[in-house]
Amino acid sequence: MSSLTDLASIWPCFVHGRRSLARNRVHQNLRNGRNLPLGVLTTRDQKSTMDPPDNQRPSTTDSGHADESQQRQIRPLSRQTSGSPLPAVYEMVSRALSTQNARSDARAQRYDPLATGDWRDMSSPSLAIAAHQTDWEYRVTWLLWLCCALSSTLIIVVQTIPAIIFLCAVLLYCALFPLRFYQALTWNIIPWAIVLFGALSVIWSEQPTQSLRSAAQIWVSVLAVLMFAQGLRAGSFILITFFAFVGANATFLFAPSVFGSKNMVGQTLALVVLSSFWLILDRQHLLIRAIALAALLAAPSMLIAADSEGALLAGSLALVCSLAPFLMRPFRPATRIFLACVGAFVASVIILASFLLFDGLFETILQSIGKDVSLTGRTLLWSHAAEIIADHPLGVGLQAFWNESNADAIRFWETFYINNHYGFHFHDLWLETGVELGVIGIVIAAATTLVVFFSVWRWALWYPAPESCFFAGYVTFILARTIGEVELYSQFNMTSMMFIAAFYYARSPSRQQADNRGGHG
């Protein structure tokens, strides 16, 4: 009776498509000699409804005892579990689930170049697990997201055509997989908070039409990344991102206008270095690893030549930080978290003490990298942004400042020789957000950024796989550049969409399907 009720408790895992979770729990219970319910329902809840039918009861003799052959089959398992109820059902379910997942994984690996890595199962979270999709579903997801990624990296060169391609790919995916559209909208409020408040700013915006249009475009961008992340493993997402940035840098050789500034060139090159490094470590297909190795060898010299000190410093910091959890794999998760916290605290104390003890250290560092005290005019922008925030506590509206009808915007464009009057900002995420959405917008953006940052790092410390380590380095890179650049919470922006994808993969429930070896070294 108990074994059958335990089997019934596994049934929710089937109907939600969480076969791997049930399989791992079965194996864990068998190893630990436990005979515990695995599902949501308890044995007490199921007792009245889960009695086996007569035709499934063990055959008995006239004396009322089970058949001798069945007793011989069950008795060894009973001895292994020290007298616990019959666990033979666990064995049956375990074998069935292993066979099901082996077939599904074999189908998915044909279209996932990252599926053969040793750590793939440690970081393949999604609400609709890619391993359980049909071949055409996975192929369509892969190709359509590649189109979106390439379009977002090339949107500065020709704005209209890449935006149309992006929107068509998203609409087609919504039509093919309407359930993922619904799941993306209802999954978590964190990615949508800044979008909703930006849409609300239309009420007091100085340019309500522009604010409404921007809110709709950001909404589509967030929707797209959450939908495609449901159908792609984290490793596949990284690979597509790598191809997109490599394609953008290759285009830059023939069309220098693909990037608006040297800082954008440095940003993409730094991300090429980070992604190619982890693709090589992930034991990919030989061709993928060869391409990643070539990019890793070529990108650093190009990054130095780009003369973007911010991207170089942030990229180096991201690479070093992403290696930390991977090198701490021999330790238990609690030890990794403790060491990471101690390391962050010690580094913060050293940096703070250095600036307090040595006068003029900041100016010396700026002079060593060829920067002036004003950070090439950034301090002028920052002071003016602070004045605007003081005069407009709710902001001027989502993306309502930099437009042709604003005299202050035109003055800054002319001061910094932006002849096309496009693509400029206050070079600080928090001040830019404050100008557009006020103090409340700063609070929402800061809360969102910190939640994503700590969620991803928790994922990396618990499951230090190449995918989680890449995203840990990525969120570190983005957080380090929030003071000096504006790369988050904008439409058709690949770096912003990757930031949301990092949060999705870190917080998706199926991440808990990871192999126990990933969590315990």
Side-chain angles (χ1 to χ4, degrees):
M1 177 75 66
S2 176
S3 299
L4 289 174
T5 54
D6 291 341
L7 175 60
S9 65
I10 302 175
W11 182 249
C13 300
F14 284 91
V15 298
H16 288 92
R18 299 169 62 187
R19 298 179 177 87
S20 298
L21 178 59
R23 180 193 60 191
N24 290 342
R25 289 181 177 176
V26 166
H27 288 311
Q28 183 177 1
N29 286 333
L30 287 174
R31 287 194 299 268
N32 297 337
R34 289 182 292 184
N35 190 19
L36 303 176
L38 303 181
V40 178
L41 299 177
T42 62
T43 304
R44 189 186 348 171
D45 295 331
Q46 301 166 17
K47 187 172 182 180
S48 60
T49 58
M50 297 308 301
D51 287 335
D54 294 336
N55 58 357
Q56 294 182 8
R57 295 180 184 273
S59 60
T60 59
T61 60
D62 295 338
S63 59
H65 297 287
D67 185 80
E68 184 179 356
S69 62
Q70 294 184 5
Q71 291 183 7
R72 282 198 301 268
Q73 182 180 3
I74 293 173
R75 198 173 292 123
L77 287 174
S78 300
R79 286 197 297 267
Q80 292 176 7
T81 57
S82 303
S84 62
L86 306 180
V89 177
Y90 283 113
E91 188 75 20
M92 178 186 66
V93 173
S94 175
R95 292 171 182 170
L97 292 177
S98 299
T99 303
Q100 289 274 355
N101 282 280
R103 294 173 180 172
S104 299
D105 290 341
R107 286 197 304 268
Q109 287 175 9
R110 292 203 295 266
Y111 303 106
D112 185 5
L114 297 181
T116 57
D118 285 352
W119 307 287
R120 176 183 57 80
D121 287 338
M122 293 167 56
S123 55
S124 58
S126 62
L127 292 179
I129 303 171
H132 299 290
Q133 299 179 101
T134 60
D135 293 347
W136 74 269
E137 288 177 334
Y138 200 73
R139 179 183 295 179
V140 167
T141 303
W142 215 97
L143 293 177
L144 288 180
W145 178 241
L146 180 62
C147 292
C148 291
L150 289 172
S151 300
S152 63
T153 56
L154 301 176
I155 201 166
I156 296 179
V157 182
V158 182
Q159 298 178 21
T160 304
I161 296 178
I164 293 175
I165 295 175
F166 187 97
L167 292 174
C168 290
V170 173
L171 290 175
L172 177 59
Y173 199 74
C174 289
L176 292 174
F177 307 104
L179 180 59
R180 292 178 186 173
F181 171 80
Y182 171 76
Q183 290 175 332
L185 292 177
T186 59
W187 173 65
N188 196 300
I189 189 59
I190 296 297
W192 299 105
I194 194 73
V195 182
L196 296 176
F197 190 72
L200 187 64
S201 71
V202 173
I203 299 174
W204 62 83
S205 174
E206 295 181 356
Q207 299 289 329
T209 304
Q210 176 63 33
S211 296
L212 181 61
R213 177 185 177 187
S214 299
Q217 292 174 341
I218 297 175
W219 181 84
V220 171
S221 301
V222 174
L223 176 68
V225 70
L226 290 178
M227 285 196 307
F228 284 107
Q230 292 178 46
L232 290 171
R233 295 186 181 92
S236 297
F237 195 96
I238 296 170
L239 180 62
I240 295 173
T241 301
F242 169 76
F243 285 151
F245 283 128
V246 168
N249 282 280
T251 306
F252 174 74
L253 300 176
F254 304 98
S257 60
V258 67
F259 298 117
S261 64
K262 66 175 185 177
N263 294 327
M264 295 188 64
V265 177
Q267 175 214 67
T268 57
L269 288 171
L271 293 178
V272 167
V273 171
L274 183 64
S275 57
S276 61
F277 178 83
W278 286 109
L279 287 174
I280 294 172
L281 283 185
D282 201 26
R283 299 186 182 182
Q284 306 308 316
H285 186 278
L286 182 61
L287 178 59
I288 299 298
R289 297 177 70 185
I291 297 173
L293 179 60
L296 183 62
L297 294 176
S301 59
M302 298 174 64
L303 178 59
I304 296 174
D307 195 27
S308 178
E309 292 80 6
L312 181 61
L313 294 175
S316 302
L317 175 65
L319 186 59
V320 171
C321 290
S322 66
L323 272 172
F326 195 75
L327 296 177
M328 291 191 292
R329 285 178 300 157
F331 301 105
R332 296 182 65 83
T335 306
R336 296 183 204 134
I337 294 174
F338 174 77
L339 292 176
C341 293
V342 170
F345 176 76
V346 171
S348 301
V349 170
I350 292 175
I351 294 174
L352 181 61
S354 300
F355 282 103
L356 292 178
L357 295 177
F358 299 98
D359 294 334
L361 179 61
F362 184 66
E363 290 78 6
T364 303
I365 295 175
L366 291 178
Q367 292 176 1
S368 65
I369 61 176
K371 297 289 185 180
D372 56 21
V373 180
S374 68
L375 295 173
T376 59
R378 282 179 171 84
T379 54
L380 175 63
L381 288 169
W382 294 346
S383 62
H384 189 73
E387 294 176 359
I388 296 175
I389 295 173
D391 294 336
H392 301 81
L394 290 178
V396 299
L398 181 64
Q399 299 185 4
F401 182 84
W402 300 101
N403 61 80
E404 294 284 352
S405 62
N406 190 333
D408 288 338
I410 295 176
R411 178 166 60 88
F412 279 116
W413 279 327
E414 294 176 351
T415 301
F416 290 93
Y417 305 101
I418 309 297
N419 298 324
N420 59 358
H421 291 188
Y422 174 79
F424 203 53
H425 49 70
F426 286 103
H427 283 276
D428 186 281
L429 175 65
W430 316 114
L431 292 176
E432 183 78 17
T433 304
V435 169
E436 296 179 0
L437 302 177
V439 178
I440 299 177
I442 295 177
V443 172
I444 295 175
T448 302
T449 304
L450 292 177
V451 168
V452 173
F453 179 82
F454 287 112
S455 297
V456 172
W457 267 99
R458 182 180 181 276
W459 174 33
L461 291 172
W462 273 91
Y463 304 98
E467 294 91 337
S468 59
C469 291
F470 165 81
F471 279 116
Y474 178 77
V475 296
T476 303
F477 176 80
I478 294 298
L479 185 63
R481 285 171 60 86
T482 55
I483 301 177
E485 298 297 331
V486 180
E487 297 171 338
L488 294 180
Y489 314 124
S490 57
Q491 63 271 38
F492 309 132
N493 188 324
M494 191 61 192
T495 56
S496 180
M497 290 187 290
M498 284 179 62
F499 195 74
I500 297 171
F503 177 67
Y504 173 84
Y505 288 119
R507 293 291 293 270
S508 179
S510 57
R511 177 172 59 82
Q512 304 302 331
Q513 299 172 11
D515 192 319
N516 290 332
R517 291 174 299 176
H520 301 286

